[in-house]
Structures are given as structure tokens and as C-alpha cells.
């Protein structure tokens, strides 16, 4: 079981944590939402919870709750720029379908 970050994503997270002046890493999970059933949760973590599973990728600690892991196991998180748009891109091998806007997915 693993979660990984590309070099671009890791640099973005490290730069943001440095600007914040605090934080232990990135918290990643899923929640029920959207027209396809699930959506990603992504936030900067200031502490490690006792239920968190920890992965380290390109120098960044990624925290995942046990409930979310089966839905995102094997996922690679990237940070991309396309024209004027930039943001995280979720490369999740478990996704079977997603809504047209790309905000939610089904496993």
C-alpha cells in the first residue's frame, strides 16, 4: 500500500509548508460527495493523528486515514500547470468512473 507524490507536487507542498511556517505534511483522504459518489480531501496537516497511516514520498509526509486508503491506494499526486490553470492532479488507479466536471469519482 502506498501513496506517492511527483517531484513537482512535493516541491509545491514543501514550499507551501515553508511559507506557512508550520506543518508536518499533507493530509489526503476521501469523502462522500458529488454526482459520482466520492471526492478527494486535501489539506495541510499540523499534527499526526493516532489513526493516521504515514507515507513519505520525495521528502513529504502524506497522512491518510484508514477508511480512505482502500479508495486511494496506489495513487500518485501531481501538481500541474496547464495554461493559466494550476493545481493538484489525482492519478488514482482505482477510479472506475468520474463525473464530467472531474470533481467526484466512483471506485
Amino acid at each position: 500500500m502506498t501513496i506517492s507524490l511527483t517531484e513537482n507536487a512535493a516541491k509545491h507542498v514543501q514550499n507551501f509548508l515553508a511559507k506557512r511556517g508550520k506543518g508536518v505534511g499533507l493530509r489526503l483522504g476521501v469523502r462522500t460527495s458529488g454526482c459520482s459518489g466520492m471526492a478527494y480531501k486535501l489539506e495541510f496537516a499540523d499534527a499526526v493523528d493516532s489513526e493516521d497511516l504515514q507515507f513519505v514520498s520525495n521528502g513529504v509526509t502524506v497522512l491518510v486515514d484508514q477508511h480512505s486508503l482502500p479508495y486511494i491506494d496506489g495513487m500518485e499526486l501531481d501538481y500541474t500547470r496547464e495554461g493559466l490553470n494550476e493545481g493538484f492532479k489525482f492519478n488514482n488507479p482505482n477510479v472506475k468512473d468520474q463525473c464530467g466536471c472531474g470533481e467526484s469519482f466512483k471506485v
Side-chain angles (χ1 to χ4, degrees):
M1 296 190 154
T2 186
I3 306 294
S4 62
L5 276 70
T6 64
E7 191 174 319
N8 281 343
K11 285 180 184 177
H12 182 76
V13 170
Q14 289 167 335
N15 289 340
F16 194 85
L17 288 172
K19 287 178 186 175
R20 283 181 83 221
K22 64 179 180 176
V24 297
L26 190 66
R27 184 175 309 281
L28 183 59
V30 296
R31 61 183 167 81
T32 303
S33 179
C35 50
S36 290
M38 305 195 90
Y40 297 108
K41 296 187 301 185
L42 183 67
E43 62 188 14
F44 294 98
D46 293 330
V48 177
D49 294 337
S50 61
E51 300 88 31
D52 286 334
L53 301 169
Q54 296 183 51
F55 302 91
V56 178
S57 180
N58 283 318
V60 173
T61 299
V62 180
L63 306 172
V64 179
D65 65 272
Q66 293 180 11
H67 168 74
S68 297
L69 187 59
Y71 302 104
I72 59 175
D73 183 30
M75 186 173 78
E76 177 187 66
L77 185 62
D78 194 8
Y79 191 82
T80 62
R81 288 187 178 164
E82 297 173 3
L84 297 175
N85 298 318
E86 64 181 283
F88 287 106
K89 181 177 179 184
F90 301 90
N91 298 314
N92 186 346
N94 303 301
V95 171
K96 303 293 183 223
D97 193 19
Q98 64 183 25
C99 67
C101 65
E103 292 296 317
S104 63
F105 65 97
K106 188 181 337 181
V107 185

